[in-house]
Amino acid sequence: MAAREYGQYCGVTRGLELVGERWALLIVRDLLVGPRRYGELAAGLPRIPSNILAARLKELQAAGIIRRAPRSRVIIYELTPYGRELEPIVLALGAWGFKAMGDPREDQIITPDSMTMALRTAFRPQVAATLPPTAYGAHVGPAELLIRVAGADLDVTRGDGPVDLAFSAGPDIRRLISGELAPDRAIATGVIEVRRGPRALLDRFASTFHLAA
């Protein structure tokens, strides 16, 4: 299945042969959020050429990482149990890469699925377990997310709903999650705009979602 073979008998080598091609892990990242139609995958990865997306999906299917399944008269792509085993690897890679992100460029975007996985990466269940259940409405770039935290459980979905705190931000939300900006400074500098709810809840959000830069 691999487009590139390294000629080494090694688990790391085999892993790279399966998911190391360009775009492959980003497809896996988005499917970790949930099953997607072909068009939804293409929309979530706006720079991927259609022939590359088709090729990667075919390769990932051949490796047993994803599968095609009919749902409500459409075909969706979803991870197999073997594919879902990549979740801790993707989260760890996201945490590692977070340290080198730097400031966002003008041409870089945030997608709903990328932000969902960023929140799952930054989530600290041991901290959340000590705090009251809280629902956040986050408008980060084009991503509108409903974030529900109940004890050590996290649920992130697209859309709107009843929340305790609603806020909007851009890519610079990284500075809040990293601790570079305290919540009050994030509000004062315009990195975060509180749209609804007590501002003090942003402290709870920053405690619950944190990644060291």
Side-chain angles (χ1 to χ4, degrees), residues 90-166:
V90 172
L91 294 178
L93 183 61
W96 183 74
F98 184 82
K99 300 175 186 292
M101 283 178 64
D103 293 328
R105 299 193 305 268
E106 288 187 6
D107 61 340
Q108 290 182 315
I109 65 170
I110 293 176
T111 67
D113 287 346
S114 70
M115 190 63 205
T116 296
M117 291 303 292
L119 289 167
R120 284 164 63 172
T121 301
F123 182 57
R124 298 200 290 177
Q126 72 280 10
V127 173
T130 67
L131 299 171
T134 312
Y136 305 94
H139 217 117
V140 184
E144 188 172 356
L145 300 175
L146 181 58
I147 306 160
R148 298 185 184 94
V149 180
D153 296 325
L154 170 67
D155 180 54
V156 184
T157 56
R158 297 190 190 188
D160 202 358
V163 296
D164 301 294
L165 175 70

Side-chain angles (χ1 to χ4, degrees), residues 22-76:
R22 192 177 185 198
W23 297 103
L25 267 183
L26 292 184
I27 293 171
V28 171
R29 178 202 67 188
D30 288 2
L31 291 180
L32 282 168
V33 178
R36 295 286 181 265
R37 298 193 300 270
Y38 182 94
E40 291 172 329
L41 285 169
L45 302 167
R47 289 192 176 187
I48 190 170
S50 59
N51 63 317
I52 298 297
L53 176 56
R56 293 294 171 266
L57 290 172
K58 184 177 180 180
E59 292 163 1
L60 291 169
Q61 287 178 75
I65 295 168
I66 69 173
R67 62 189 168 208
R68 283 162 48 102
R71 182 171 299 180
S72 301
R73 299 183 180 180
V74 299
I75 298 297
I76 57 98

